Amino acid sequence: MSLSKLSSWFLLMIISVVLVAWVYPPQVPSALLDDEGRPTEDRADAPRKTTARIRRR
């Protein structure tokens, strides 16, 4: 595979992501909204918990 084909494919992927994000803009997950559709302060600003743990030797 030539470099020009690889570059063209990569550019196509970037354009595809941009177009999908433009047509379907990101939204706040419904679990973080209250009954009126507004973001809840206690959940929206809360830090996210990670499940992965790093083991140190």
Side-chain angles (χ1 to χ4, degrees):
M1 185 181 265
S2 67
L3 185 60
S4 63
K5 286 185 180 181
L6 187 62
S7 300
S8 298
W9 176 84
F10 188 69
L11 181 61
L12 180 64
M13 292 300 109
I14 291 174
I15 292 171
S16 299
V17 169
V18 169
L19 287 176
V20 168
W22 183 45
V23 172
Y24 300 103
Q27 299 177 355
V28 177
S30 59
L32 298 177
L33 299 176
D34 61 8
D35 295 334
E36 297 175 1
R38 296 178 301 203
T40 57
E41 294 179 15
D42 58 340
R43 296 179 123 189
D45 297 332
R48 296 182 180 166
K49 295 181 181 178
T50 57
T51 57
R53 296 185 184 254
I54 301 173
R55 294 185 182 180
R56 297 185 182 181
R57 297 181 180 192

